[in-house]
Amino acid sequence: MRSITAKQPGPTNTHDLTTPALVVEGSSLDANIAAMALERPAGRLRPHVKAFKSTQLARHVSVRGGHRHFCCATLAEMEGLAAAGLGEDLLLANETLDADRLGALVRRDDCRITVAVDSPETVDVASSAGADVLIDVDVGLPRCGCLPADAGRLADRARRAGLNVRGVMGYEGHTVAEADRDQRRRAVDESMRLLAGARDAVGGGLTSAGATGTFDMHESTDEVQAGSYLLMDSAYASMGLPFATALSLEVTVISRSPKGWCVVDCGLKSLGMDHGNPSVEGMSVFFCSDEHTTLLPTEGAEPPPVGTRLRVTPAHVDPTVAYHSLLHITDGDDVIETWPVDLRGW
Amino acid sequence: MRSITAKQPGPTNTHDLTTPALVVEGSSLDANIAAMALERPAGRLRPHVKAFKSTQLARHVSVRGGHRHFCCATLAEMEGLAAAGLGEDLLLANETLDADRLGALVRRDDCRITVAVDSPETVDVASSAGADVLIDVDVGLPRCGCLPADAGRLADRARRAGLNVRGVMGYEGHTVAEADRDQRRRAVDESMRLLAGARDAVGGGLTSAGATGTFDMHESTDEVQAGSYLLMDSAYASMGLPFATALSLEVTVISRSPKGWCVVDCGLKSLGMDHGNPSVEGMSVFFCSDEHTTLLPTEGAEPPPVGTRLRVTPAHVDPTVAYHSLLHITDGDDVIETWPVDLRGW
């Protein structure tokens, strides 16, 4: 990490950070970037910034991994990357009805803007904005995407509206958390078969799909949309992927009870909770409330004293990062850089 | 609402808001303030700002309800209220180890600062900062608070350290979501019996306790710490409380499938999920992902067309508001004010 930039002013030790504080171990982050670049080098991966929402982390990925084309879930992420000079090829892998903001992005002279479309309405918005499009195809996840059988017709409509149809995208989100690798592979293959058919109907071009949980199952997909591999979380860590858990939450023990528990200063406002409770080494999580988590030491140990710093691993990285304004990049206990989470909101 | 301030510039209709957008119906907010003030007038209620994290909403409560003493869960909330001129009597109803920031608050000449303490360590921090204290007592929730039997000893220690012990606080959080009112009442009474014993051991003074779910069960409690009553959510709305659901999330239908669902642009990064899925009138929530929620119309209806605006009611208000930077105050579809959520973070 030290090679990237000079050390910045600020806390030099994680113990000096105001808690709760998001901490990213730099060596793990860089190992994750390298492991992904080996499988999916530049042009074969479009890192998804929704997982980390930081232009400085995006820039680090582009320098270290060579990946300069990014994937976004929101217009705010698109606008932030563009303003940071990272707009070489930005994909809004999501539908939008906001022609004004999309059009303002297209009119920048330092960006290439592509947007997913899955309906006549979203084609009209792309047309009004002048953005390139990918036809978004339902490949099994009950969310966005046109039926595979409708992809060709939608592409024709887009072309009639003067749009450049770059190809198709299809997110196989229903497969990415399947624990059994063989079953996951079969489900991905089935989804990509649907996507390939849609691409043919569209008239060829790019296929964009995938996620961290399926990153190495996409030999015939042009570009994979993965983001969680960079920071990881306890949900993905259980799947045997070649990525290390780089993100944790530094917290402080603020209370200890003679009844055997202790309380740390993180909770529902600093942790995405949809995947369940976070994890803490040597402790079990009793429950989380707004700004507290009650912990029980395992195996009858005494809880740590008030003032102790602990590390909490969130169950789901994306909605966790979205609660925070800073990512502290560390080398062990040294804070070597602090990056704003500057792509939050919409 | 119109009587408070002149209309501000900005969107005049909720349909012009960038979605997802937090929307607060002003008449419901004001009805909630009035209903609470009837039961707990000024001095008998310490509104908890953790539920809304906005200095402008705090000021509105103080003007409309007469409540000028606030309760906070974080130092950032304390600092923000102090900076906004709302520091007449601020309670950090939480333990902190940060003597520097607490001391900086105490040194302001426009604030009164009180902090909860439940251990020798937190007494030392309060002493170093020079803050007044409440002895925080465990009244049944497995979280912060000393044992009732230890309260007197801790108060003695605080006084020996030169601190002003204002009394006791005890949060009966294990009772507040009990659906049966009689059972809830009995549980509150048992907790308040413990708190009263601790107060006697401490040598008298203030008792501070309670929440929205138990606000009318505290005849002998000096001040109730409630915040959710202002905006409400679907969890509290099922409990028969005299408060209206004032908060909702304006969202846009961005996709519609021939398979019968539609997708709106809110999800795990705009909704606190620990209490479960949000609710939408006339629809059932299929699932939420980071920036999407898939909805199924009830009773076989067609999903609404792409571009339709809908209102989503979050299951838990506090961690929902913490994802957003703005609260739009409305009169029907008119946006009459926009208040920053300026007390986020730590």
Side-chain angles (χ1 to χ4, degrees):
Chain A
M1 298 294 296
R2 291 187 184 285
S3 60
I4 296 286
T5 61
K7 190 166 172 177
Q8 296 175 337
T12 56
N13 192 290
T14 56
H15 296 258
D16 299 324
L17 296 171
T18 292
T19 55
L22 277 186
V23 165
V24 177
E25 179 57 36
S27 59
S28 300
L29 170 63
D30 284 352
N32 292 344
I33 293 172
M36 180 59 92
L38 205 65
E39 175 80 19
R40 310 282 320 180
R44 300 273 290 157
L45 180 82
R46 191 182 278 279
H48 211 318
V49 304
K50 80 183 176 79
F52 52 87
K53 288 184 173 284
S54 160
T55 52
Q56 281 188 256
L57 206 162
R59 184 172 286 115
H60 187 75
V61 171
S62 107
V63 171
R64 282 287 166 117
H67 301 105
R68 295 162 58 182
H69 302 171
F70 292 99
C71 194
C72 298
T74 66
L75 282 167
E77 292 167 1
M78 300 281 280
E79 292 161 346
L81 287 177
L86 295 165
E88 183 175 304
D89 189 336
L90 299 181
L91 168 63
L92 181 60
N94 199 357
E95 278 63 23
T96 183
L97 279 297
D98 194 332
D100 291 344
R101 288 171 69 196
L102 191 63
L105 279 164
V106 170
R107 285 191 299 277
R108 292 182 67 108
D109 58 11
D110 56 353
C111 291
R112 178 174 189 179
I113 302 296
T114 304
V115 63
V117 293
D118 72 351
S119 64
E121 293 88 345
T122 48
V123 166
D124 289 349
V125 166
S127 168
S128 162
D132 289 351
V133 299
L134 286 183
I135 306 297
D136 189 2
V137 182
D138 172 358
V139 295
L141 176 71
R143 212 170 70 183
C144 300
C146 67
L147 297 184
D150 291 336
R153 201 160 38 238
L154 201 60
D156 291 343
R157 183 183 176 114
R159 290 196 186 95
R160 281 198 307 275
L163 294 174
N164 176 32
V165 179
R166 293 183 70 185
V168 293
M169 80 164 236
Y171 176 49
E172 74 284 15
H174 56 301
T175 76
V176 301
E178 165 59 52
D180 182 85
R181 186 174 165 85
D182 292 339
Q183 286 195 38
R184 192 157 78 244
R185 175 77 217 212
R186 278 192 294 275
V188 171
D189 287 349
E190 171 59 18
S191 288
M192 291 309 102
R193 195 186 57 72
L194 293 172
L195 190 61
R199 185 200 51 212
D200 294 346
V202 160
L206 198 65
T207 55
S208 190
T212 293
T214 63
F215 81 104
D216 58 353
M217 301 177 173
H218 279 282
E219 296 81 3
S220 57
T221 301
D222 293 310
E223 56 176 41
V224 161
Q225 302 177 2
S228 300
Y229 76 98
L230 291 160
L231 303 180
M232 292 290 283
D233 55 32
S234 56
Y236 266 133
S238 65
M239 288 177 63
L241 303 170
F243 307 115
T245 302
L247 183 83
S248 61
L249 195 60
E250 170 119 348
V251 301
T252 304
V253 175
I254 59 168
S255 182
R256 182 166 80 153
S257 172
K259 295 179 185 169
W261 65 76
C262 71
V263 181
V264 293
D265 58 352
C266 67
L268 306 175
K269 290 175 183 163
S270 50
L271 293 162
M273 294 298 292
D274 59 293
H275 283 24
N277 283 335
S279 51
V280 186
E281 205 177 310
M283 317 279 274
S284 68
V285 171
F286 190 176
F287 68 103
C288 298
S289 38
D290 278 347
E291 302 283 7
H292 304 93
T293 296
T294 300
L295 300 173
L296 296 168
T298 46
E299 297 168 23
E302 285 290 302
V306 170
T308 305
R309 292 292 182 109
L310 296 176
R311 289 290 180 88
V312 172
T313 304
H316 191 187
V317 59
D318 305 44
T320 295
V321 172
Y323 272 131
H324 294 261
S325 60
L326 297 173
L327 290 172
H328 301 285
I329 315 301
T330 56
D331 177 4
D333 286 338
D334 288 333
V335 177
I336 52 176
E337 299 190 30
T338 294
W339 295 343
V341 184
D342 52 353
L343 302 175
R344 301 196 291 169
W346 302 272
Chain B
M1 296 294 297
R2 291 186 185 284
S3 60
I4 295 287
T5 62
K7 190 168 174 177
Q8 297 174 337
T12 55
N13 192 291
T14 56
H15 296 259
D16 298 325
L17 296 171
T18 292
T19 54
L22 278 185
V23 165
V24 177
E25 179 57 35
S27 60
S28 300
L29 170 63
D30 284 351
N32 292 345
I33 293 172
M36 180 59 91
L38 206 63
E39 175 79 20
R40 310 283 318 180
R44 301 274 290 157
L45 180 82
R46 191 183 277 279
H48 211 318
V49 303
K50 79 182 177 80
F52 52 87
K53 288 184 172 287
S54 162
T55 52
Q56 281 189 256
L57 205 160
R59 184 173 286 115
H60 186 76
V61 172
S62 105
V63 170
R64 282 288 167 116
H67 302 105
R68 295 163 57 181
H69 302 171
F70 293 99
C71 194
C72 298
T74 66
L75 282 166
E77 291 166 2
M78 299 281 280
E79 291 161 348
L81 287 177
L86 295 166
E88 182 176 305
D89 188 336
L90 299 181
L91 168 63
L92 182 59
N94 198 357
E95 279 63 24
T96 183
L97 279 297
D98 194 333
D100 291 344
R101 289 171 69 196
L102 191 63
L105 279 164
V106 171
R107 285 192 297 277
R108 292 181 68 107
D109 58 11
D110 57 353
C111 291
R112 177 175 190 178
I113 302 296
T114 304
V115 63
V117 294
D118 70 351
S119 64
E121 293 88 343
T122 47
V123 165
D124 289 349
V125 166
S127 168
S128 162
D132 289 350
V133 298
L134 286 184
I135 306 298
D136 189 3
V137 181
D138 172 358
V139 295
L141 177 71
R143 213 171 70 182
C144 300
C146 67
L147 298 183
D150 291 335
R153 201 158 40 235
L154 201 61
D156 291 343
R157 183 183 176 112
R159 290 196 186 95
R160 281 198 307 275
L163 294 174
N164 177 31
V165 178
R166 293 182 71 185
V168 293
M169 79 163 236
Y171 175 49
E172 74 284 16
H174 57 301
T175 75
V176 300
E178 165 60 52
D180 182 87
R181 185 175 166 85
D182 291 338
Q183 286 193 38
R184 192 157 79 243
R185 176 77 217 213
R186 278 192 295 274
V188 170
D189 286 348
E190 171 59 19
S191 288
M192 293 306 102
R193 195 185 56 72
L194 293 172
L195 190 61
R199 185 200 51 212
D200 294 345
V202 160
L206 199 63
T207 55
S208 190
T212 293
T214 63
F215 82 103
D216 58 353
M217 300 177 174
H218 279 282
E219 297 79 4
S220 58
T221 302
D222 293 310
E223 57 177 39
V224 161
Q225 301 177 2
S228 300
Y229 74 98
L230 290 160
L231 302 180
M232 291 292 283
D233 54 33
S234 55
Y236 266 133
S238 64
M239 287 176 63
L241 303 170
F243 307 115
T245 301
L247 183 84
S248 62
L249 195 60
E250 170 119 349
V251 301
T252 303
V253 175
I254 58 168
S255 182
R256 182 167 80 154
S257 172
K259 296 179 183 167
W261 65 76
C262 69
V263 181
V264 293
D265 58 353
C266 66
L268 306 176
K269 291 176 182 162
S270 51
L271 292 162
M273 292 299 293
D274 59 293
H275 282 23
N277 283 335
S279 51
V280 186
E281 204 177 311
M283 317 279 273
S284 69
V285 172
F286 190 176
F287 68 103
C288 298
S289 39
D290 279 348
E291 302 284 7
H292 304 94
T293 295
T294 300
L295 299 174
L296 297 168
T298 46
E299 297 169 22
E302 284 291 300
V306 171
T308 305
R309 293 294 182 107
L310 296 176
R311 290 291 178 86
V312 171
T313 305
H316 191 185
V317 59
D318 304 44
T320 295
V321 172
Y323 272 130
H324 294 261
S325 60
L326 297 173
L327 290 171
H328 301 285
I329 315 301
T330 56
D331 177 5
D333 287 338
D334 288 334
V335 177
I336 51 175
E337 298 189 31
T338 295
W339 295 342
V341 184
D342 52 353
L343 303 175
R344 300 195 292 167
W346 301 274

